[in-house]
Amino acid sequence: VVLGIFGETEKASAVVPNKVFEAMAAGRAVVTMASPALRELLPPGVVVEVPPADPLAIAAAVDHLMRDAGFAKSLGIRARQCFEERFRPRKLVMELHVYLGS
């Protein structure tokens, strides 16, 4: 289980930290805070979302993943699939070429 970001700051709600993408690429289950940035980039069900600055919700999410290895594994598989479909460097470069018209 990889922990993402949980702060209540404006910056925290505006970013998805690199460690989330790294965990997805590694096929790991991720727990991170629900945010506009996360909703913009990831479909539902790829990571476990918790409210910002809620240590009890974080602990409950981690506990659930630790107790249900099957769920944690399936979440990691979905995360890896999402990374492959949306965030592989080659895919991002191709999208950038299209965006820039080159």
Side-chain angles (χ1 to χ4, degrees):
V1 175
V2 176
L3 300 179
I5 192 167
F6 303 100
E8 289 183 296
T9 66
E10 187 176 323
K11 179 183 177 186
S13 67
V15 301
V16 176
N18 190 58
K19 65 181 170 180
V20 169
F21 295 106
E22 291 170 347
M24 291 172 62
R28 298 294 183 241
V30 176
V31 176
T32 193
M33 72 175 218
S35 71
L38 194 69
R39 283 188 290 280
E40 183 178 328
L41 293 175
L42 302 180
V46 174
V47 300
V48 175
E49 299 178 44
V50 297
D54 187 339
L56 294 178
I58 298 165
V62 170
D63 183 62
H64 178 227
L65 289 166
M66 298 304 289
R67 290 177 185 271
D68 189 343
F71 176 63
K73 183 174 181 175
S74 69
L75 195 64
I77 290 169
R78 285 196 304 268
R80 174 67 185 189
Q81 289 170 337
C82 180
F83 179 84
E84 290 289 330
E85 292 169 3
R86 295 176 176 222
F87 304 113
R88 286 197 60 136
R90 182 179 302 263
K91 173 127 176 77
L92 294 175
V93 168
M94 295 304 293
E95 288 181 16
L96 186 58
H97 279 289
V98 170
Y99 178 75
L100 296 175
S102 45

Coordinates of all heavy atoms in Angstrom, one line a residue:
V1 N 0.9 -1.2 0.0 CA 0.0 0.0 0.0 C 0.9 1.2 0.0 O 1.8 1.3 0.8 CB -0.9 0.0 1.2 CG1 -1.7 1.3 1.3 CG2 -1.8 -1.2 1.3
V2 N 0.6 2.2 -0.9 CA 1.4 3.4 -1.0 C 0.4 4.6 -0.6 O -0.7 4.6 -1.0 CB 1.9 3.6 -2.4 CG1 2.6 5.0 -2.5 CG2 2.8 2.5 -2.8
L3 N 1.0 5.4 0.3 CA 0.2 6.6 0.7 C 0.5 7.8 -0.1 O 1.7 8.1 -0.4 CB 0.5 6.9 2.2 CG 0.2 5.8 3.2 CD1 0.6 6.2 4.6 CD2 -1.2 5.4 3.1
G4 N -0.5 8.5 -0.6 CA -0.4 9.7 -1.4 C -0.2 11.0 -0.6 O 0.7 11.1 0.2
I5 N -1.2 11.9 -0.8 CA -1.1 13.2 -0.2 C -2.4 13.4 0.5 O -3.5 12.9 0.1 CB -0.9 14.3 -1.3 CG1 -0.6 15.6 -0.7 CG2 -2.1 14.3 -2.3 CD1 0.0 16.6 -1.8
F6 N -2.4 14.1 1.6 CA -3.5 14.2 2.5 C -3.8 15.6 3.1 O -4.7 15.8 3.9 CB -3.4 13.2 3.7 CG -3.2 11.8 3.2 CD1 -2.0 11.2 3.2 CD2 -4.3 11.1 2.8 CE1 -1.8 9.9 2.8 CE2 -4.2 9.8 2.3 CZ -2.9 9.2 2.3
G7 N -3.0 16.6 2.7 CA -3.1 17.9 3.2 C -4.4 18.7 2.9 O -5.1 18.4 1.9
E8 N -4.6 19.7 3.7 CA -5.8 20.6 3.5 C -5.5 21.9 2.7 O -6.3 22.8 2.6 CB -6.4 21.0 4.8 CG -7.1 19.8 5.5 CD -7.7 20.3 6.8 OE1 -7.0 20.7 7.7 OE2 -9.0 20.2 6.9
T9 N -4.3 22.0 2.1 CA -3.9 23.2 1.5 C -4.4 23.3 0.1 O -4.8 22.2 -0.5 CB -2.3 23.3 1.4 OG1 -1.8 22.3 0.5 CG2 -1.7 23.2 2.8
E10 N -4.4 24.4 -0.5 CA -4.9 24.6 -1.9 C -4.0 23.9 -2.8 O -4.4 23.2 -3.8 CB -4.8 26.1 -2.2 CG -5.4 26.5 -3.6 CD -5.5 27.9 -3.8 OE1 -5.7 28.7 -2.9 OE2 -5.2 28.3 -5.0
K11 N -2.7 23.9 -2.6 CA -1.7 23.1 -3.4 C -2.0 21.6 -3.4 O -2.0 21.0 -4.4 CB -0.3 23.4 -3.0 CG 0.7 22.6 -3.8 CD 2.1 22.8 -3.4 CE 3.1 21.9 -4.2 NZ 4.4 22.0 -3.8
A12 N -2.3 21.1 -2.2 CA -2.5 19.7 -2.1 C -3.7 19.2 -2.9 O -3.7 18.2 -3.5 CB -2.7 19.3 -0.6
S13 N -4.7 20.1 -3.0 CA -5.9 19.7 -3.8 C -5.7 20.0 -5.2 O -6.6 19.5 -6.0 CB -7.2 20.5 -3.2 OG -7.0 21.9 -3.5
A14 N -4.7 20.6 -5.6 CA -4.4 21.0 -7.0 C -3.4 20.0 -7.7 O -3.2 20.2 -8.9 CB -4.0 22.4 -7.2
V15 N -2.8 19.1 -7.0 CA -1.8 18.3 -7.6 C -2.1 16.8 -7.3 O -2.8 16.4 -6.4 CB -0.4 18.6 -7.0 CG1 0.0 20.0 -7.3 CG2 -0.3 18.3 -5.5
V16 N -1.5 16.0 -8.1 CA -1.4 14.5 -7.9 C 0.1 14.3 -7.8 O 0.8 14.4 -8.8 CB -2.1 13.7 -9.0 CG1 -1.9 12.2 -8.7 CG2 -3.5 14.0 -9.1
P17 N 0.6 13.9 -6.7 CA 2.1 13.8 -6.5 C 2.7 12.7 -7.4 O 2.0 11.7 -7.6 CB 2.3 13.6 -5.0 CG 1.0 13.1 -4.5 CD 0.0 13.6 -5.4
N18 N 3.9 12.9 -7.8 CA 4.6 11.9 -8.6 C 4.6 10.5 -8.0 O 4.5 9.5 -8.7 CB 6.1 12.3 -8.8 CG 6.7 11.5 -9.9 OD1 6.2 11.4 -11.0 ND2 7.8 10.8 -9.5
K19 N 4.6 10.4 -6.6 CA 4.6 9.1 -6.0 C 3.4 8.3 -6.3 O 3.4 7.1 -6.3 CB 4.9 9.2 -4.5 CG 3.8 9.9 -3.7 CD 4.2 10.0 -2.2 CE 3.3 10.9 -1.4 NZ 3.7 10.9 0.0
V20 N 2.3 9.0 -6.6 CA 1.0 8.3 -6.9 C 1.2 7.6 -8.3 O 0.9 6.5 -8.5 CB -0.2 9.2 -6.9 CG1 -1.4 8.6 -7.5 CG2 -0.5 9.7 -5.5
F21 N 1.8 8.3 -9.2 CA 2.0 7.8 -10.6 C 3.0 6.7 -10.5 O 2.9 5.6 -11.2 CB 2.5 8.9 -11.5 CG 1.4 9.9 -11.8 CD1 1.5 11.2 -11.3 CD2 0.3 9.6 -12.6 CE1 0.6 12.1 -11.5 CE2 -0.7 10.5 -12.8 CZ -0.6 11.8 -12.3
E22 N 4.1 6.8 -9.7 CA 5.1 5.8 -9.5 C 4.4 4.5 -8.9 O 4.7 3.4 -9.4 CB 6.2 6.2 -8.6 CG 7.1 7.3 -9.3 CD 8.1 7.9 -8.3 OE1 7.9 7.8 -7.1 OE2 9.0 8.6 -8.8
A23 N 3.6 4.7 -7.9 CA 2.9 3.5 -7.3 C 2.0 2.8 -8.3 O 1.9 1.6 -8.4 CB 2.1 4.0 -6.1
M24 N 1.3 3.6 -9.1 CA 0.4 3.1 -10.2 C 1.3 2.3 -11.2 O 0.9 1.2 -11.6 CB -0.4 4.2 -10.9 CG -1.4 4.8 -10.0 SD -2.1 6.3 -10.9 CE -2.9 5.5 -12.3
A25 N 2.4 2.8 -11.6 CA 3.3 2.1 -12.6 C 3.8 0.8 -12.0 O 4.0 -0.1 -12.7 CB 4.4 3.0 -13.0
A26 N 4.0 0.8 -10.7 CA 4.5 -0.4 -10.0 C 3.3 -1.4 -9.7 O 3.6 -2.5 -9.1 CB 5.2 0.0 -8.7
G27 N 2.1 -1.0 -10.0 CA 1.0 -1.9 -9.7 C 0.6 -2.0 -8.2 O 0.2 -3.1 -7.8
R28 N 0.8 -0.9 -7.5 CA 0.5 -1.0 -6.1 C -0.8 -0.3 -5.8 O -1.2 0.7 -6.4 CB 1.6 -0.3 -5.3 CG 2.9 -0.9 -5.4 CD 2.9 -2.3 -4.8 NE 4.2 -2.9 -4.8 CZ 4.4 -4.1 -5.4 NH1 3.4 -4.7 -6.1 NH2 5.6 -4.6 -5.4
A29 N -1.5 -0.7 -4.7 CA -2.7 0.0 -4.2 C -2.3 1.3 -3.6 O -1.3 1.4 -2.9 CB -3.4 -0.9 -3.2
V30 N -3.1 2.3 -3.9 CA -2.8 3.7 -3.4 C -3.9 4.2 -2.6 O -5.1 4.1 -3.0 CB -2.5 4.6 -4.6 CG1 -2.3 6.1 -4.2 CG2 -1.4 4.2 -5.5
V31 N -3.6 4.9 -1.5 CA -4.6 5.6 -0.7 C -4.1 7.1 -0.7 O -3.0 7.4 -0.4 CB -4.6 5.1 0.8 CG1 -5.5 6.0 1.6 CG2 -4.9 3.7 0.9
T32 N -5.0 7.9 -1.2 CA -4.7 9.4 -1.2 C -6.0 10.2 -1.0 O -7.1 9.6 -1.1 CB -4.0 9.7 -2.6 OG1 -3.4 11.0 -2.5 CG2 -4.9 9.6 -3.7
M33 N -5.8 11.4 -0.9 CA -7.0 12.3 -0.6 C -7.8 12.5 -1.9 O -7.3 12.6 -3.0 CB -6.7 13.6 0.0 CG -6.0 14.6 -0.8 SD -5.8 16.1 0.1 CE -6.1 17.3 -1.2
A34 N -9.1 12.6 -1.7 CA -10.0 13.0 -2.8 C -9.7 14.4 -3.1 O -9.6 15.3 -2.2 CB -11.4 12.7 -2.4
S35 N -9.6 14.8 -4.4 CA -9.3 16.2 -4.8 C -9.8 16.4 -6.2 O -9.9 15.5 -7.0 CB -7.8 16.5 -4.7 OG -7.1 15.8 -5.7
P36 N -10.0 17.7 -6.6 CA -10.3 18.0 -8.0 C -9.2 17.5 -8.9 O -9.5 17.0 -10.0 CB -10.4 19.5 -8.0 CG -10.7 19.9 -6.6 CD -10.0 18.9 -5.7
A37 N -8.0 17.6 -8.6 CA -6.9 17.1 -9.5 C -7.0 15.6 -9.7 O -6.8 15.2 -10.8 CB -5.5 17.5 -8.9
L38 N -7.3 14.9 -8.7 CA -7.4 13.5 -8.8 C -8.6 13.1 -9.7 O -8.4 12.2 -10.6 CB -7.6 12.8 -7.4 CG -7.4 11.3 -7.3 CD1 -5.9 11.0 -7.5 CD2 -7.8 10.8 -6.0
R39 N -9.7 13.7 -9.5 CA -10.9 13.5 -10.3 C -10.6 13.8 -11.8 O -11.2 13.2 -12.7 CB -12.1 14.2 -9.8 CG -12.7 13.5 -8.5 CD -14.0 14.2 -8.1 NE -13.8 15.5 -7.6 CZ -13.4 15.8 -6.3 NH1 -13.1 14.8 -5.5 NH2 -13.3 17.0 -5.9
E40 N -9.8 14.8 -12.0 CA -9.5 15.2 -13.4 C -8.7 14.2 -14.1 O -8.8 14.0 -15.3 CB -8.8 16.6 -13.4 CG -8.5 17.1 -14.8 CD -7.8 18.5 -14.7 OE1 -8.1 19.3 -13.8 OE2 -7.0 18.8 -15.6
L41 N -7.8 13.5 -13.4 CA -6.8 12.6 -14.0 C -7.2 11.2 -14.0 O -6.8 10.4 -14.9 CB -5.4 12.8 -13.4 CG -4.8 14.2 -13.7 CD1 -3.5 14.3 -12.9 CD2 -4.6 14.4 -15.2
L42 N -7.9 10.7 -12.9 CA -8.1 9.3 -12.7 C -9.6 8.9 -12.7 O -10.3 9.7 -12.1 CB -7.5 8.8 -11.4 CG -6.0 9.1 -11.2 CD1 -5.5 8.5 -9.9 CD2 -5.2 8.4 -12.3
P43 N -9.9 7.8 -13.3 CA -11.3 7.4 -13.2 C -11.6 6.8 -11.8 O -10.6 6.4 -11.1 CB -11.4 6.3 -14.3 CG -10.0 5.8 -14.5 CD -9.1 7.0 -14.2
P44 N -12.8 6.7 -11.4 CA -13.1 6.2 -10.1 C -12.6 4.7 -10.0 O -12.6 4.0 -11.0 CB -14.6 6.2 -10.0 CG -15.0 7.2 -11.1 CD -14.0 7.2 -12.1
G45 N -12.2 4.3 -8.8 CA -11.8 2.9 -8.6 C -10.4 2.6 -8.9 O -10.0 1.4 -8.8
V46 N -9.6 3.6 -9.2 CA -8.2 3.3 -9.4 C -7.3 3.4 -8.2 O -6.4 2.7 -8.0 CB -7.6 4.2 -10.5 CG1 -6.1 4.1 -10.7 CG2 -8.3 4.0 -11.9
V47 N -7.7 4.4 -7.3 CA -7.1 4.5 -6.0 C -8.2 4.6 -4.9 O -9.3 4.9 -5.3 CB -6.2 5.8 -6.0 CG1 -5.1 5.8 -7.0 CG2 -7.0 7.1 -6.1
V48 N -7.8 4.4 -3.7 CA -8.7 4.6 -2.6 C -8.6 6.1 -2.2 O -7.6 6.6 -1.9 CB -8.4 3.7 -1.4 CG1 -9.3 4.0 -0.2 CG2 -8.5 2.3 -1.8
E49 N -9.8 6.8 -2.3 CA -9.8 8.2 -1.9 C -10.4 8.4 -0.5 O -11.4 7.7 -0.2 CB -10.7 8.9 -2.9 CG -10.2 8.9 -4.4 CD -11.2 9.6 -5.3 OE1 -11.6 10.7 -5.0 OE2 -11.4 9.0 -6.4
V50 N -9.7 9.3 0.2 CA -10.2 9.6 1.6 C -10.3 11.1 1.7 O -9.7 11.8 0.9 CB -9.2 9.1 2.7 CG1 -9.2 7.5 2.6 CG2 -7.9 9.6 2.5
P51 N -11.1 11.6 2.6 CA -11.2 13.1 2.8 C -9.8 13.6 3.2 O -9.0 13.0 3.9 CB -12.2 13.2 4.0 CG -12.9 12.0 4.0 CD -12.0 10.9 3.5
P52 N -9.5 14.9 2.9 CA -8.3 15.5 3.3 C -8.2 15.6 4.8 O -9.2 15.7 5.5 CB -8.4 17.0 2.7 CG -9.5 17.0 1.8 CD -10.4 15.8 2.1
A53 N -6.9 15.4 5.3 CA -6.6 15.6 6.7 C -7.5 14.8 7.7 O -8.0 15.3 8.7 CB -6.6 17.1 7.1
D54 N -7.8 13.6 7.3 CA -8.7 12.7 8.1 C -7.9 11.4 8.5 O -8.0 10.4 7.8 CB -9.9 12.4 7.3 CG -11.0 11.6 8.2 OD1 -10.6 11.0 9.2 OD2 -12.1 11.6 7.8
P55 N -7.1 11.5 9.6 CA -6.3 10.3 9.9 C -7.1 9.0 10.2 O -6.6 7.9 9.9 CB -5.5 10.8 11.2 CG -6.2 12.0 11.6 CD -7.0 12.6 10.5
L56 N -8.3 9.1 10.7 CA -9.1 7.9 10.9 C -9.5 7.3 9.6 O -9.5 6.1 9.4 CB -10.3 8.3 11.7 CG -10.0 8.7 13.2 CD1 -11.3 9.0 13.9 CD2 -9.3 7.6 13.9
A57 N -9.8 8.1 8.6 CA -10.2 7.6 7.2 C -9.0 6.9 6.6 O -9.1 5.9 5.9 CB -10.8 8.7 6.4
I58 N -7.8 7.6 6.7 CA -6.6 7.0 6.2 C -6.3 5.6 6.8 O -6.0 4.6 6.1 CB -5.4 7.9 6.4 CG1 -5.6 9.3 5.7 CG2 -4.1 7.3 5.9 CD1 -4.6 10.4 6.1
A59 N -6.4 5.6 8.1 CA -6.1 4.3 8.9 C -7.1 3.2 8.5 O -6.7 2.1 8.3 CB -6.2 4.6 10.4
A60 N -8.4 3.6 8.3 CA -9.4 2.6 7.9 C -9.1 2.1 6.5 O -9.3 0.9 6.3 CB -10.8 3.3 8.0
A61 N -8.7 3.0 5.6 CA -8.5 2.6 4.3 C -7.3 1.6 4.2 O -7.3 0.6 3.5 CB -8.2 3.8 3.4
V62 N -6.2 2.0 4.9 CA -5.0 1.1 5.0 C -5.4 -0.2 5.6 O -5.0 -1.3 5.1 CB -3.8 1.8 5.7 CG1 -2.7 0.8 5.9 CG2 -3.4 3.0 4.9
D63 N -6.1 -0.2 6.7 CA -6.5 -1.4 7.4 C -7.3 -2.3 6.4 O -7.1 -3.5 6.4 CB -7.3 -1.1 8.6 CG -7.7 -2.3 9.4 OD1 -6.8 -3.0 9.9 OD2 -8.9 -2.6 9.5
H64 N -8.2 -1.7 5.7 CA -9.0 -2.5 4.8 C -8.2 -3.2 3.7 O -8.3 -4.4 3.4 CB -10.1 -1.6 4.1 CG -10.9 -2.3 3.1 ND1 -11.2 -1.9 1.9 CD2 -11.6 -3.5 3.2 CE1 -11.9 -2.7 1.2 NE2 -12.2 -3.7 1.9
L65 N -7.2 -2.4 3.2 CA -6.3 -3.0 2.2 C -5.4 -4.1 2.7 O -5.1 -5.1 2.1 CB -5.5 -1.9 1.5 CG -6.3 -1.0 0.6 CD1 -5.5 0.3 0.3 CD2 -6.7 -1.7 -0.7
M66 N -5.0 -3.9 4.0 CA -4.1 -4.9 4.6 C -4.9 -6.2 4.9 O -4.3 -7.3 4.9 CB -3.4 -4.3 5.8 CG -2.5 -3.1 5.6 SD -1.2 -3.4 4.4 CE -0.2 -4.5 5.3
R67 N -6.1 -6.0 5.3 CA -6.9 -7.2 5.6 C -7.5 -7.9 4.4 O -7.8 -9.1 4.5 CB -8.1 -6.8 6.5 CG -7.7 -6.4 7.9 CD -8.9 -5.9 8.7 NE -8.4 -5.4 10.0 CZ -8.3 -6.1 11.1 NH1 -8.5 -7.4 11.1 NH2 -8.0 -5.6 12.2
D68 N -7.7 -7.2 3.3 CA -8.2 -7.8 2.1 C -7.2 -7.8 1.0 O -7.2 -6.9 0.1 CB -9.5 -7.0 1.7 CG -10.3 -7.7 0.6 OD1 -9.7 -8.6 -0.1 OD2 -11.5 -7.4 0.4
A69 N -6.3 -8.7 1.0 CA -5.2 -8.8 0.0 C -5.7 -8.9 -1.4 O -5.1 -8.3 -2.3 CB -4.3 -9.9 0.3
G70 N -6.8 -9.6 -1.6 CA -7.4 -9.7 -2.9 C -7.8 -8.3 -3.5 O -7.6 -8.0 -4.7
F71 N -8.5 -7.6 -2.6 CA -8.9 -6.2 -3.1 C -7.7 -5.3 -3.3 O -7.6 -4.6 -4.3 CB -9.8 -5.6 -2.0 CG -10.2 -4.1 -2.3 CD1 -10.9 -3.8 -3.4 CD2 -9.8 -3.1 -1.5 CE1 -11.3 -2.5 -3.7 CE2 -10.1 -1.8 -1.8 CZ -10.9 -1.5 -2.9
A72 N -6.7 -5.4 -2.5 CA -5.5 -4.6 -2.7 C -4.8 -5.0 -4.0 O -4.4 -4.1 -4.7 CB -4.5 -4.8 -1.5
K73 N -4.7 -6.3 -4.3 CA -4.1 -6.7 -5.5 C -4.9 -6.2 -6.7 O -4.3 -5.8 -7.7 CB -4.0 -8.2 -5.5 CG -3.3 -8.8 -6.7 CD -3.1 -10.3 -6.7 CE -2.3 -10.7 -7.9 NZ -2.0 -12.1 -7.9
S74 N -6.2 -6.4 -6.7 CA -7.1 -5.9 -7.8 C -7.0 -4.4 -8.0 O -6.9 -3.9 -9.1 CB -8.5 -6.4 -7.6 OG -9.1 -5.7 -6.6
L75 N -6.9 -3.7 -6.9 CA -6.7 -2.2 -7.0 C -5.3 -1.9 -7.7 O -5.3 -1.0 -8.6 CB -6.8 -1.6 -5.6 CG -7.0 -0.1 -5.6 CD1 -8.3 0.3 -6.2 CD2 -6.9 0.4 -4.2
G76 N -4.3 -2.6 -7.3 CA -3.0 -2.4 -7.9 C -3.0 -2.8 -9.4 O -2.4 -2.0 -10.2
I77 N -3.7 -3.8 -9.8 CA -3.8 -4.2 -11.2 C -4.6 -3.1 -12.0 O -4.1 -2.7 -13.1 CB -4.5 -5.5 -11.4 CG1 -3.6 -6.6 -10.8 CG2 -5.0 -5.8 -12.8 CD1 -4.3 -8.0 -10.7
R78 N -5.7 -2.6 -11.4 CA -6.4 -1.5 -12.1 C -5.5 -0.2 -12.2 O -5.5 0.5 -13.2 CB -7.7 -1.1 -11.3 CG -8.8 -2.2 -11.6 CD -10.1 -1.6 -11.1 NE -10.2 -1.2 -9.7 CZ -10.5 -2.0 -8.7 NH1 -10.8 -3.3 -8.9 NH2 -10.6 -1.5 -7.5
A79 N -4.7 0.1 -11.1 CA -3.8 1.2 -11.2 C -2.8 1.1 -12.3 O -2.6 2.0 -13.0 CB -3.2 1.4 -9.8
R80 N -2.2 -0.1 -12.4 CA -1.2 -0.3 -13.5 C -1.9 -0.2 -14.8 O -1.3 0.4 -15.7 CB -0.6 -1.7 -13.3 CG 0.3 -2.2 -14.4 CD 1.6 -1.3 -14.4 NE 2.4 -1.7 -15.5 CZ 3.6 -1.3 -15.7 NH1 4.2 -0.5 -14.9 NH2 4.2 -1.7 -16.8
Q81 N -3.1 -0.8 -15.0 CA -3.7 -0.6 -16.3 C -4.0 0.8 -16.7 O -3.8 1.2 -17.8 CB -5.0 -1.4 -16.3 CG -4.8 -2.9 -16.3 CD -6.1 -3.7 -16.0 OE1 -7.1 -3.2 -15.5 NE2 -6.1 -5.0 -16.5
C82 N -4.5 1.6 -15.7 CA -4.7 3.0 -15.9 C -3.4 3.7 -16.3 O -3.4 4.5 -17.2 CB -5.4 3.6 -14.7 SG -5.7 5.4 -14.8
F83 N -2.4 3.4 -15.6 CA -1.1 4.0 -15.9 C -0.7 3.7 -17.3 O -0.3 4.6 -18.1 CB 0.0 3.6 -14.9 CG 1.4 4.2 -15.3 CD1 1.7 5.4 -14.8 CD2 2.3 3.5 -16.0 CE1 2.9 6.0 -15.1 CE2 3.5 4.1 -16.4 CZ 3.8 5.3 -15.9
E84 N -0.8 2.5 -17.7 CA -0.4 2.0 -19.1 C -1.3 2.8 -20.1 O -0.8 3.2 -21.2 CB -0.6 0.5 -19.2 CG 0.4 -0.3 -18.5 CD 1.8 -0.2 -19.1 OE1 1.9 0.0 -20.3 OE2 2.8 -0.3 -18.3
E85 N -2.6 2.9 -19.9 CA -3.5 3.5 -20.8 C -3.3 5.0 -20.9 O -3.5 5.6 -22.0 CB -4.9 3.2 -20.4 CG -5.3 1.7 -20.6 CD -6.6 1.4 -20.0 OE1 -7.3 2.3 -19.5 OE2 -7.0 0.2 -20.0
R86 N -3.0 5.7 -19.8 CA -3.0 7.1 -19.8 C -1.7 7.8 -19.6 O -1.6 9.0 -20.0 CB -4.0 7.6 -18.7 CG -5.4 7.2 -18.9 CD -6.2 7.6 -17.7 NE -7.6 7.3 -18.0 CZ -8.6 8.1 -17.7 NH1 -8.4 9.3 -17.1 NH2 -9.8 7.8 -18.0
F87 N -0.7 7.2 -18.9 CA 0.4 8.0 -18.5 C 1.8 7.4 -18.9 O 2.8 8.0 -18.4 CB 0.4 8.1 -17.0 CG -0.9 8.7 -16.5 CD1 -1.8 8.0 -15.7 CD2 -1.2 10.0 -16.8 CE1 -3.0 8.5 -15.3 CE2 -2.4 10.6 -16.3 CZ -3.3 9.8 -15.6
R88 N 1.8 6.5 -19.8 CA 3.1 6.0 -20.3 C 3.8 7.2 -21.0 O 3.1 7.9 -21.7 CB 3.0 4.8 -21.2 CG 2.6 3.6 -20.5 CD 2.9 2.4 -21.3 NE 4.3 2.4 -21.7 CZ 5.0 1.3 -21.7 NH1 4.5 0.2 -21.4 NH2 6.3 1.4 -22.0
P89 N 5.1 7.3 -20.8 CA 5.8 8.5 -21.5 C 5.5 8.6 -23.0 O 5.2 9.7 -23.5 CB 7.2 8.2 -21.2 CG 7.2 7.4 -19.9 CD 6.0 6.6 -20.0
R90 N 5.5 7.5 -23.7 CA 5.3 7.5 -25.1 C 3.9 8.1 -25.4 O 3.7 8.9 -26.3 CB 5.4 6.1 -25.7 CG 5.2 6.1 -27.3 CD 5.4 4.7 -27.8 NE 6.7 4.2 -27.5 CZ 7.8 4.2 -28.3 NH1 7.6 4.7 -29.5 NH2 8.9 3.7 -28.0
K91 N 2.9 7.7 -24.7 CA 1.5 8.1 -24.8 C 1.4 9.6 -24.6 O 0.8 10.4 -25.3 CB 0.6 7.4 -23.9 CG -0.9 7.9 -23.9 CD -1.8 6.9 -24.2 CE -3.3 7.3 -24.1 NZ -3.7 8.1 -25.2
L92 N 2.1 10.1 -23.5 CA 2.0 11.5 -23.2 C 2.7 12.3 -24.2 O 2.3 13.4 -24.6 CB 2.7 11.7 -21.8 CG 1.9 11.1 -20.6 CD1 2.7 11.3 -19.3 CD2 0.6 11.7 -20.5
V93 N 3.8 11.9 -24.8 CA 4.5 12.6 -25.8 C 3.7 12.7 -27.1 O 3.6 13.7 -27.7 CB 5.9 11.9 -26.1 CG1 6.5 12.5 -27.4 CG2 6.9 12.1 -25.0
M94 N 3.0 11.6 -27.4 CA 2.1 11.6 -28.6 C 1.0 12.6 -28.4 O 0.7 13.3 -29.3 CB 1.6 10.2 -28.9 CG 2.7 9.2 -29.3 SD 3.6 9.7 -30.7 CE 2.4 9.6 -32.0
E95 N 0.4 12.6 -27.2 CA -0.7 13.6 -27.0 C -0.1 15.0 -27.1 O -0.8 15.9 -27.5 CB -1.3 13.3 -25.6 CG -2.1 12.1 -25.6 CD -2.8 11.8 -24.3 OE1 -2.9 12.7 -23.4 OE2 -3.3 10.7 -24.1
L96 N 1.1 15.2 -26.6 CA 1.7 16.6 -26.6 C 1.9 17.0 -28.1 O 1.6 18.1 -28.5 CB 3.0 16.6 -25.9 CG 3.7 17.9 -25.7 CD1 2.8 19.0 -25.0 CD2 5.0 17.8 -24.9
H97 N 2.4 16.1 -28.9 CA 2.5 16.4 -30.4 C 1.2 16.7 -31.0 O 1.2 17.7 -31.8 CB 3.1 15.1 -31.1 CG 4.6 15.0 -31.0 ND1 5.5 15.9 -31.6 CD2 5.4 14.1 -30.3 CE1 6.7 15.5 -31.3 NE2 6.7 14.5 -30.5
V98 N 0.2 16.0 -30.7 CA -1.2 16.3 -31.2 C -1.6 17.7 -30.7 O -2.1 18.5 -31.5 CB -2.2 15.3 -30.8 CG1 -3.6 15.7 -31.2 CG2 -1.9 13.9 -31.5
Y99 N -1.4 18.0 -29.5 CA -1.8 19.2 -28.9 C -1.1 20.4 -29.5 O -1.7 21.5 -29.8 CB -1.6 19.2 -27.4 CG -1.9 20.5 -26.7 CD1 -3.2 20.9 -26.4 CD2 -0.9 21.4 -26.2 CE1 -3.5 22.1 -25.8 CE2 -1.2 22.5 -25.6 CZ -2.5 22.9 -25.4 OH -2.8 24.1 -24.7
L100 N 0.2 20.2 -29.7 CA 1.0 21.3 -30.3 C 0.9 21.4 -31.8 O 1.4 22.3 -32.4 CB 2.5 21.1 -29.9 CG 2.8 21.3 -28.4 CD1 4.2 20.9 -28.1 CD2 2.4 22.6 -27.9
G101 N 0.3 20.4 -32.4 CA 0.1 20.4 -33.9 C 1.4 20.0 -34.6 O 1.5 20.5 -35.8
S102 N 2.3 19.3 -34.0 CA 3.5 19.0 -34.7 C 3.6 17.6 -35.1 O 2.8 16.8 -34.9 CB 4.7 19.3 -33.8 OG 4.6 18.8 -32.5

